[in-house]
Amino acid sequence: REYDRTALAQALTTWSLAEQEDYLALFKTFACPVYYLYGEHDEKFAAIGNQLRGVRSVAVQKIPAAGHSLHLSHPQEVAR
């Protein structure tokens, strides 16, 4: 009830994975290190992490007992 429905709709549309760039291809071009974190229970992003394994600039790390919103549920692990 407290959400601005227009702003929420815009955020969901803008941040949709369908609207985002293909980061798998982009990561392969990076010269700087990239740290890709995903939650153990987040199957979609675990699959992306597995695709990124072997890309020289990407370090992939699974956070145990975590889901999608790592920064909220496991801030200490994300900070490390």
Side-chain angles (χ1 to χ4, degrees), residues 9-69:
Q10 182 177 4
L12 292 173
T13 302
T14 302
W15 298 337
S16 165
L17 290 178
E19 297 296 324
Q20 294 179 8
E21 191 172 343
D22 178 4
Y23 287 102
L24 180 58
L26 185 62
F27 285 162
K28 291 179 180 180
T29 68
F30 284 1
C32 63
V34 173
Y35 296 94
Y36 182 87
L37 308 174
Y38 69 91
E40 175 181 27
H41 303 298
D42 189 339
E43 294 178 12
K44 183 173 193 167
F45 286 90
I48 293 171
N50 286 331
Q51 290 177 338
L52 291 170
R53 291 188 192 281
V55 175
R56 92 181 141 75
S57 63
V58 181
V60 178
Q61 177 67 47
K62 173 177 66 176
I63 305 297
H68 181 70
S69 299

